[in-house]
Amino acid sequence: MLQSLAGSSCVRLIQNNKSTWYFLFLILGYVLYLVFGAVIFSSVELPYEDLLRQELQAIKRQFLQENECISEERLDNFLEKALEASNYGVSVLNNASANWNWDFTSALFFASTVLSTTGYGHTVPLSDGGKAFCIIYSVMGIPFTLLFLTAVVQRIMVFSTRRPVAYVHLRWGLSKPLVAMVHASLLAFLICSCFFIIPAVVFTILEDEWNFLESFYFCFISLSTIGLGDYVPGEAYNQRFRQLYKVGITVYLIVGLVAMLVVLETFCELPQLKQLRKVFYLKKERPEDRLNILDHDHLSFCSVSDHAASLREEKPDPYIQGRPLDTPTGDDPIIK
């Protein structure tokens, strides 16, 4: 008996808090996904890191053996300075001295990566004034960019998603969720072709040291605003039309980010995904104090109505209980 009551109470508890349980499972799934990614990245990349460390140590030992006049301490100091400068986008190599990081086109490219929160990290402000201005510029510019992208995407969605789906639904009488799903899939394929596959082919041609996978990797990392910075176009020594190339990449990043947001918004408006999101959301409930106020107003209104009705019933009717009017006759002097 007690076991059945306990089991029924547990079932009721779970049923009454489905959203909370789904949310806890969502958190657990996200943590497991993070752990899964960490395990895969570690198992894949750790051997390559170890191999690279061994190669660098071998090159360093060979250099010291061939140049006995240079001590290991002086070499380490030089390498430390060179790596520090490289972190700021300045290279000591002769073939990289011709490329400036802060000419107008490079600064324009940097500003676009800051406002879009891509942040490749290959070029960073060197001075304290530049760092302070970058903070102020980002604080004001990132919300401005979000407002700009939201307004652009909202207008594009009318012509790219809402009107085509509504037209097909009304014209051929097909199910609106089915039409929306097919449209979202076609739109995703189109955007993937125009902003991932075709640009990857172009970057493969323009960048001598990039293959197709590396070019596609750069497109995805950039348009998803991850921005790792391990691949940055236009940094080669023999890059032709570098300034025009940088402007074109800036335009590509902004337009591609808008296209990505349009696809994401299209999928978010699918009825299937809306139902899935509702599983993890809290249900909208009215506060108890509001319910009490409504009940109090309802009772007050009912009591006032009942009291008014009772008064109407108790009040004598003057036309019934009063003296009846005499019916005028022909002998009445007024009528005469």
Side-chain angles (χ1 to χ4, degrees):
M1 181 67 179
L2 293 176
Q3 293 179 354
S4 62
L5 291 176
S8 61
S9 62
C10 291
V11 171
R12 286 196 301 269
L13 179 63
I14 294 175
Q15 290 179 351
N16 294 332
N17 299 275
K18 283 185 177 180
S19 177
T20 303
W21 287 105
Y22 287 144
F23 180 69
L24 293 177
F25 284 128
L26 178 64
I27 295 176
L28 178 61
Y30 189 75
V31 172
L32 292 177
Y33 193 72
L34 286 175
V35 173
F36 170 75
V39 170
I40 297 300
F41 283 127
S42 178
S43 60
V44 172
E45 296 298 329
L46 191 59
Y48 287 92
E49 180 185 0
D50 183 60
L51 180 62
L52 182 60
R53 287 175 181 271
Q54 294 178 7
E55 291 179 356
L56 288 177
Q57 292 295 332
I59 294 173
K60 180 180 176 181
R61 287 194 300 267
Q62 182 180 359
F63 180 82
L64 292 175
Q65 291 176 358
E66 295 176 354
N67 301 272
E68 297 179 356
C69 59
I70 300 177
S71 64
E72 184 176 0
E73 183 179 358
R74 292 179 60 186
L75 179 61
D76 290 340
N77 292 332
F78 171 75
L79 293 177
E80 183 179 356
K81 290 290 185 181
L83 292 175
E84 183 179 359
S86 178
N87 292 332
Y88 285 97
V90 179
S91 178
V92 297
L93 300 177
N94 292 328
N95 57 1
S97 59
N99 296 334
W100 292 89
N101 294 323
W102 293 106
D103 56 353
F104 177 76
T105 54
S106 299
L108 180 65
F109 179 71
F110 172 78
S112 67
T113 59
V114 169
L115 296 184
S116 62
T117 66
T118 303
Y120 292 111
H122 71 293
T123 301
V124 294
L126 301 177
S127 62
D128 293 337
K131 296 174 182 177
F133 177 74
C134 184
I135 295 174
I136 300 173
Y137 185 72
S138 302
V139 169
M140 300 179 62
I142 292 176
F144 184 36
T145 304
L146 294 177
L147 176 63
F148 166 74
L149 293 176
T150 302
V152 173
V153 171
Q154 190 271 338
R155 282 162 173 76
I156 294 177
M157 285 288 296
V158 176
F159 300 98
S160 66
T161 300
R162 298 191 180 102
R163 287 187 180 180
V165 171
Y167 175 79
V168 174
H169 170 63
L170 297 176
R171 181 66 175 81
W172 284 283
L174 299 176
S175 174
K176 194 171 184 179
L178 177 61
V179 175
M181 177 62 74
V182 174
H183 172 268
S185 301
L186 294 176
L187 183 63
F189 177 77
L190 180 63
I191 295 299
C192 182
S193 301
C194 295
F195 290 92
F196 288 97
I197 298 177
I198 297 177
V201 174
V202 174
F203 284 126
T204 304
I205 298 173
L206 296 179
E207 299 290 335
D208 296 334
E209 299 181 356
W210 292 14
N211 55 30
F212 178 79
L213 177 60
E214 293 171 339
S215 301
F216 190 89
Y217 169 80
F218 164 76
C219 295
F220 177 80
I221 292 298
S222 300
L223 297 185
S224 59
T225 68
I226 298 174
L228 297 178
D230 48 351
Y231 290 93
V232 180
E235 298 297 324
Y237 168 68
N238 57 348
Q239 184 67 57
R240 294 179 300 176
F241 308 104
R242 183 174 183 269
Q243 295 184 350
L244 182 61
Y245 188 33
K246 285 287 186 179
V247 174
I249 296 172
T250 303
V251 175
Y252 162 73
L253 292 177
I254 296 176
V255 177
L257 184 59
V258 172
M260 288 289 291
L261 292 176
V262 169
V263 173
L264 292 177
E265 186 67 20
T266 301
F267 275 94
C268 287
E269 290 188 356
L270 292 177
Q272 297 86 346
L273 291 183
K274 287 183 179 180
Q275 294 295 329
L276 180 61
R277 292 199 306 270
K278 289 180 180 179
V279 173
F280 304 102
Y281 290 170
L282 289 174
K283 295 181 179 179
K284 295 182 179 180
E285 296 180 356
R286 292 181 297 179
E288 294 181 0
D289 53 351
R290 183 181 176 186
L291 292 175
N292 294 331
I293 292 173
L294 292 176
D295 294 339
H296 182 267
D297 294 340
H298 177 69
L299 292 175
S300 301
F301 178 75
C302 294
S303 59
V304 171
S305 302
D306 295 340
H307 183 64
S310 61
L311 289 177
R312 286 196 300 268
E313 292 177 357
E314 295 176 359
K315 186 176 181 180
D317 193 348
Y319 294 97
I320 298 176
Q321 297 182 359
R323 180 178 177 270
L325 296 175
D326 296 334
T327 301
T329 59
D331 297 336
D332 195 337
I334 297 177
I335 297 178
K336 290 181 179 183

